[in-house]
Amino acid sequence: MKDTAVFCEGKNDIKFFENILEKYDNTIHYATFKGEEVKYERLNNKETEYVRNFLRYDRQKFLIKSEGGKPNLKTAFAHFAAYLSQTNTRMVVMTDTDTNQEHKDSLHKFTDDIKEKFNSGHRESTGHTLQTLENINRKNSYLLSKQSYILNREGEKESDFITVAWRESLESVAGVKEDYSDAEEKIENLAQNSAISDFFKQIIF
């Protein structure tokens, strides 16, 4: 398995990925970073240091980063993607569609927002640009995903990444109560759903 960095919205997403990894390969060394627990004025330096240290480990590795909401997720991924694309790290972005219909439109809007942020931040400085595809490459009753590409200064493909979106949200699919009192149990059960776990197995293993 390639070194992998997963960017997601919140702590429950991290719990989900921990369960997925433990289900398929509990020997994988993984690290987590919860951006919502770091004071804003220290966040950029702290997470940059964390990502660079993660990449220095001389072993197979898996990083799961939560950003504390969708706007922060878009910004953080757009910031780090060009750097990670040069390290042969597989990149996965996981988000919620936040709607019970028009899921494709929600996913396309999300990746278009990342594209805009990425290109405005990297086109002039590094020459990298991001290109999103219009087609959905995988979907089932719970999830859908699409692929995007990062191009170098010459317009050649340097790397790609997958964006995975829950139909509505991870919590709604799992049936988590509004007060999150049963979140850990429900998310653990969710990772055992074969249609869901197989979806992620195809992406990260």
Side-chain angles (χ1 to χ4, degrees):
M1 188 183 78
K2 290 176 64 175
D3 293 344
T4 302
V6 176
F7 292 75
C8 50
E9 292 191 32
K11 299 176 187 178
N12 286 334
D13 301 312
I14 288 181
K15 291 178 185 176
F16 172 78
F17 266 104
E18 288 174 332
N19 279 283
I20 288 290
L21 292 177
E22 288 166 9
K23 175 176 180 175
Y24 285 110
D25 188 349
N26 59 13
T27 67
I28 293 175
H29 171 75
Y30 69 87
T32 63
F33 181 90
K34 300 174 182 176
E36 58 266 55
E37 294 183 353
V38 181
K39 290 184 178 179
Y40 179 77
E41 59 270 18
R42 298 181 56 206
L43 179 59
N44 189 44
N45 290 337
K46 192 81 172 177
E47 64 181 347
T48 298
E49 178 185 5
Y50 198 92
V51 169
R52 286 178 176 168
N53 286 338
F54 162 78
L55 291 171
R56 290 191 188 107
Y57 293 143
D58 187 21
R59 61 190 297 184
Q60 191 176 80
K61 45 199 174 287
F62 200 104
L63 173 64
I64 317 167
K65 261 179 108 276
S66 64
E67 309 298 345
K70 188 172 293 187
N72 293 341
L73 171 57
K74 295 174 186 176
T75 300
F77 181 75
H79 175 72
F80 284 108
Y83 172 63
L84 289 171
S85 72
Q86 299 173 69
T87 65
N88 198 32
T89 298
R90 184 201 343 257
M91 295 176 282
V92 179
V93 184
M94 188 171 80
T95 187
D96 300 328
T97 58
D98 293 324
T99 179
N100 57 14
Q101 55 186 353
E102 304 300 337
H103 302 107
K104 291 182 182 179
D105 291 346
S106 178
L107 177 53
H108 290 323
K109 174 66 165 58
F110 179 84
T111 54
D112 284 346
D113 287 349
I114 290 179
K115 176 182 176 180
E116 182 178 348
K117 288 178 178 291
F118 182 97
N119 289 346
S120 64
H122 296 287
R123 191 193 301 271
E124 296 299 326
S125 58
T126 69
H128 288 90
T129 55
L130 193 152
Q131 177 182 355
T132 64
L133 300 183
E134 288 304 313
N135 60 306
I136 302 297
N137 63 323
R138 296 188 69 228
K139 63 180 179 178
N140 63 19
S141 299
Y142 312 100
L143 297 151
L144 60 164
S145 68
K146 64 179 291 189
Q147 197 160 20
S148 301
Y149 296 97
I150 295 175
L151 310 179
N152 62 21
R153 191 180 297 275
E154 288 72 38
E156 301 165 335
K157 188 179 81 168
E158 185 167 272
S159 65
D160 57 19
F161 66 91
I162 293 287
T163 305
V164 182
W166 292 95
R167 295 175 182 265
E168 198 165 346
S169 70
L170 178 151
E171 290 80 7
S172 64
V173 171
V176 174
K177 293 179 180 177
E178 288 187 10
D179 63 1
Y180 295 102
S181 60
D182 60 347
E184 188 167 343
E185 175 188 356
K186 289 295 180 66
I187 290 170
E188 183 177 347
N189 292 338
L190 186 69
Q192 300 308 311
N193 181 313
S194 60
I196 291 172
S197 59
D198 287 350
F199 195 99
F200 284 94
K201 182 181 180 182
Q202 295 299 317
I203 293 172
I204 62 178
F205 290 97

